Amino acid sequence: MKIHKSYYAFIALFFLISCGHSLKNNEEVSIVNEKDQDPLEPINRKIFEFNRVVDGLILEPFANLYNMTVNENVKLSISSFLSNLGEPVTFTNDCFQGKGEKSLEAFSRFMINTIFGLFGLFDVAEKLGMPRHQEDFGQTLAIWGIPSGPYLVVPLLGSSTPRSLTGRLTDFYLSPYNYYMVHYDRRQYIYVRLGMDTLVKRAQYAGDIKNFRENSLDFYAAVRSFYLQNQRAQVQDNKVIESNSPSADAFNVDEDDSKFLE
Amino acid sequence: MWKYTLYLFFSTIISSHVLSSNAPSEDIQSAVNFMQNLGDKVSDIVRQKTGDEKRSSLKEIFEHDVHHKSIAQFVLGRLRRDLKAALAEAKDDLEKESIKKRIQDALDEFYKAYKKSIIRTYLSSFENGYKGGIFKATHGRKSGEDGVTVYSTLDRQNGTPPLNLHWVLKPICADDAHQCSPDNKHWKVVDLRVENVSQAQKEKDETESIISKHRGNCTQGVRRLCAVVALEKLTEEHKRLNRAWKEKGSISTTSPSSKTAA
């Protein structure tokens, strides 16, 4: 009961913080200056450095080891199994967002992959023309008109915003897997899943992350830009993306700088 | 008489509409074809060539088909205006000329370093990250006044979902012609959106972060030259990254041959 009370208080607090930033963070604004969305930059940068150290010491070596030792097909099955566990959360959020067809697809995917794909080890549904999509409560809140709030870097969790953090916590409670494990006092399996999920994703994108880090002038600013742009795109289901990114007109060139300086 | 006038009126409207809508759709198709050809060329190089040969072939493509100067000017954003403002603060004509010269030199240096930076970023992504992938340019959409966004996917066949790559292209006229005709028009890439994350926007955010850091360190004595100093520092940072990458590249490209020799 105590946990529930503090959880709701936490959500309420983040709602308040989010609403406080509603004027600054209008999703309708075409191209948002990412720096304006980061009033906590000095603190965020410190936490970011801490996370980088943890990543370098623990996550990256394990991810590299995983990539080197595990067979590609096994990796695919592990990733598919973990994704299948998240399907009920996607289904629930599709319902919350009023996406009837998508929710039906998520539900069908879960049933097909659980029954015919050996608890999700094989993504049979994708072969039947139902590709995986992901929805979380953070996106649901965005659809409901809740602004994202300032950019945050959370210890161990990484980039976030109050809205997506609230979403993450809510998704935890929406997951039947977590509910089952808590109810039958098998909490350790929640941590196993969380750890595996983090490791698999880190391993999948190990090359991209390394590339990204090596080619960045300011890794923190690059990650922030990537996260915020990506979040805006996801909220719009990657559809109306033209309004979020610079159009070709933004690249009109002044061939002669001396004329510009006249 | 009225009948013929009306007939003429409507046929003029319809034909002008058809003619005007034909041109963009041809443009879109030519942009999609251009992108498919470019993707195929890159895939062939990545598959068939190795080491220095691969790197120099890719470099040639990115030098020719990416419009570096327009990306560089976009990335600089309001700093270019600040550079112009620095001129206005000059005490006399002599100082104005010397500041103008310094700005032009700084801009030229920046363009050179940034061109190398773009090639570095594209090379490191395509050289390793997109190995063995299947590239498909699917369709295009008008972007801004004369640009086109080409939508493509890259199936990396490593268990991760296909990457959505959107290319923003601008027509560049050969021979400095004011009006582009199909004969003298050449498409150039001005932005790449990986999973809806604009690389140019990301670079701009990084640049802003670096500029604000250096402007913050600018001393009172050279206040009006702060923008110029920030640009010079930014160029240095790009050069530093380019050097580090080149050194790393020369190590990685020489190591297989040294292994063979051994």
Side-chain angles (χ1 to χ4, degrees):
Chain A
M1 196 63 192
K2 248 183 184 178
I3 295 167
H4 280 217
K5 266 187 184 171
S6 58
Y7 170 64
Y8 290 124
F10 186 67
I11 288 179
L13 178 72
F14 274 107
F15 267 116
L16 281 174
I17 295 171
S18 305
C19 295
H21 284 80
S22 60
L23 284 175
K24 270 190 177 178
N25 302 303
N26 188 352
E27 227 77 51
E28 299 294 315
V29 173
S30 56
I31 297 160
V32 184
N33 187 348
E34 317 297 15
K35 216 171 156 52
D36 291 347
Q37 214 176 326
D38 190 7
L40 304 168
E41 188 176 336
I43 305 163
N44 281 342
R45 274 191 187 268
K46 287 196 174 87
I47 301 171
F48 184 81
E49 279 312 312
F50 167 76
N51 285 350
R52 265 187 81 171
V53 172
V54 174
D55 178 67
L57 287 175
I58 303 164
L59 214 50
E60 197 179 6
F62 275 105
N64 290 340
L65 191 71
Y66 176 84
N67 275 338
M68 279 192 291
T69 52
V70 181
N71 174 283
E72 284 301 322
N73 290 331
V74 177
K75 272 193 233 170
L76 209 63
S77 284
I78 293 173
S79 161
S80 177
F81 175 76
L82 291 167
S83 299
N84 195 47
L85 290 177
E87 224 48 89
V89 175
T90 297
F91 163 73
T92 315
N93 281 300
D94 275 329
C95 292
F96 284 158
Q97 293 171 28
K99 294 175 183 165
E101 206 179 311
K102 286 273 176 194
S103 64
L104 200 66
E105 199 175 281
F107 181 75
S108 310
R109 273 183 57 82
F110 181 68
M111 295 309 286
I112 291 169
N113 285 343
T114 306
I115 298 166
F116 302 107
L118 302 178
F119 293 98
L121 284 173
F122 301 99
D123 196 345
V124 183
E126 179 145 26
K127 290 187 176 74
L128 294 173
M130 282 181 268
R132 184 173 178 254
H133 71 281
Q134 202 185 352
E135 296 289 348
D136 56 49
F137 197 70
Q139 284 163 257
T140 303
L141 290 174
I143 300 281
W144 290 351
I146 308 292
S148 69
Y151 176 72
L152 297 175
V153 183
V154 185
L156 303 177
L157 291 178
S159 295
S160 196
T161 60
R163 184 180 67 198
S164 99
L165 204 58
T166 311
R168 255 174 145 159
L169 281 166
T170 313
D171 284 336
F172 181 86
Y173 285 90
L174 285 176
S175 166
Y177 174 89
N178 292 346
Y179 181 81
Y180 179 86
M181 294 304 171
V182 170
H183 191 76
Y184 289 98
D185 206 19
R186 290 172 182 166
R187 282 183 174 83
Q188 65 274 26
Y189 291 107
I190 294 176
Y191 303 123
V192 170
R193 180 196 166 191
L194 198 70
M196 276 308 288
D197 212 20
T198 312
L199 177 71
V200 167
K201 280 192 182 129
R202 182 64 180 81
Q204 269 180 343
Y205 296 101
D208 295 328
I209 294 169
K210 189 170 172 270
N211 214 352
F212 199 64
R213 192 173 51 206
E214 284 175 355
N215 284 305
S216 296
L217 280 181
D218 181 350
F219 190 41
Y220 171 83
V223 170
R224 179 181 62 195
S225 179
F226 183 89
Y227 177 79
L228 293 174
Q229 283 193 66
N230 189 251
Q231 203 194 34
R232 279 197 293 273
Q234 278 183 352
V235 165
Q236 296 176 342
D237 279 344
N238 298 331
K239 278 178 195 157
V240 206
I241 200 61
E242 292 300 326
S243 62
N244 276 337
S245 306
S247 79
D249 286 351
F251 297 92
N252 286 337
V253 66
D254 274 331
E255 282 297 348
D256 191 357
D257 277 306
S258 61
K259 275 184 196 159
F260 168 76
L261 293 170
E262 283 298 314
Chain B
M1 181 66 188
W2 274 108
K3 196 179 159 187
Y4 286 110
T5 317
L6 273 175
Y7 177 73
L8 193 68
F9 177 72
F10 281 115
S11 57
T12 313
I13 286 181
I14 289 166
S15 59
S16 66
H17 179 74
V18 167
L19 283 174
S20 66
S21 61
N22 257 351
S25 70
E26 276 170 15
D27 272 1
I28 290 168
Q29 196 48 51
S30 92
V32 173
N33 293 342
F34 164 80
M35 228 28 258
Q36 186 61 57
N37 286 339
L38 188 67
D40 290 343
K41 261 195 271 179
V42 171
S43 296
D44 286 347
I45 292 168
V46 170
R47 258 187 232 119
Q48 291 161 7
K49 296 184 178 178
T50 51
D52 281 342
E53 201 190 359
K54 178 166 82 173
R55 191 169 269 202
S56 65
S57 304
L58 286 175
K59 199 177 158 193
E60 208 175 289
I61 288 180
F62 298 134
E63 262 177 344
H64 184 255
D65 293 317
V66 178
H67 202 265
H68 310 97
K69 196 168 183 180
S70 60
I71 306 174
Q73 286 180 355
F74 169 78
V75 158
L76 285 181
R78 59 179 171 221
L79 185 78
R80 282 185 84 230
R81 285 201 301 275
D82 293 349
L83 291 170
K84 200 174 176 178
L87 272 180
E89 287 175 28
K91 285 178 215 151
D92 48 47
D93 283 350
L94 201 67
E95 195 188 39
K96 194 174 180 178
E97 272 311 304
S98 97
I99 294 175
K100 194 176 171 184
K101 169 103 183 37
R102 188 169 166 186
I103 291 172
Q104 274 188 325
D105 289 347
L107 279 171
D108 288 342
E109 273 297 296
F110 172 73
Y111 293 144
K112 266 189 242 165
Y114 191 67
K115 184 178 175 179
K116 284 182 186 165
S117 256
I118 295 176
I119 293 170
R120 165 175 53 82
T121 316
Y122 275 63
L123 261 178
S124 31
S125 301
F126 284 86
E127 204 176 20
N128 301 312
Y130 301 160
K131 220 183 309 188
I134 296 168
F135 179 84
K136 199 175 174 191
T138 52
H139 63 288
R141 194 184 285 171
K142 201 167 180 271
S143 172
E145 203 184 318
D146 56 356
V148 172
T149 305
V150 175
Y151 298 83
S152 69
T153 54
L154 188 105
D155 194 347
R156 294 194 276 183
Q157 303 187 310
N158 65 349
T160 53
L163 263 184
N164 290 308
L165 303 174
H166 304 166
W167 308 81
V168 184
L169 307 178
K170 261 188 98 71
I172 304 296
C173 308
D175 321 320
D176 291 328
H178 289 297
Q179 194 72 38
C180 274
S181 72
D183 297 331
N184 73 351
K185 189 159 69 178
H186 179 74
W187 291 105
K188 293 233 180 195
V189 177
V190 287
D191 192 12
L192 165 62
R193 296 179 201 149
V194 184
E195 291 296 325
N196 287 317
V197 174
S198 156
Q199 299 305 293
Q201 185 61 42
K202 187 204 79 148
E203 295 264 330
K204 190 177 186 176
D205 293 332
E206 271 187 84
T207 304
E208 268 176 24
S209 174
I210 297 287
I211 287 170
S212 68
K213 185 176 94 183
H214 288 304
R215 291 189 93 159
N217 292 338
C218 195
T219 54
Q220 202 65 41
V222 284
R223 178 63 63 194
R224 71 175 168 280
L225 288 176
C226 277
V228 194
V229 173
L231 178 64
E232 287 164 349
K233 296 271 185 195
L234 177 71
T235 309
E236 274 170 35
E237 301 252 2
H238 276 287
K239 283 182 178 170
R240 182 184 53 79
L241 263 188
N242 292 340
R243 264 198 310 272
W245 183 76
K246 205 173 173 183
E247 278 161 22
K248 206 185 130 216
S250 62
I251 293 164
S252 68
T253 48
T254 52
S255 56
S257 55
S258 56
K259 266 184 203 168
T260 321

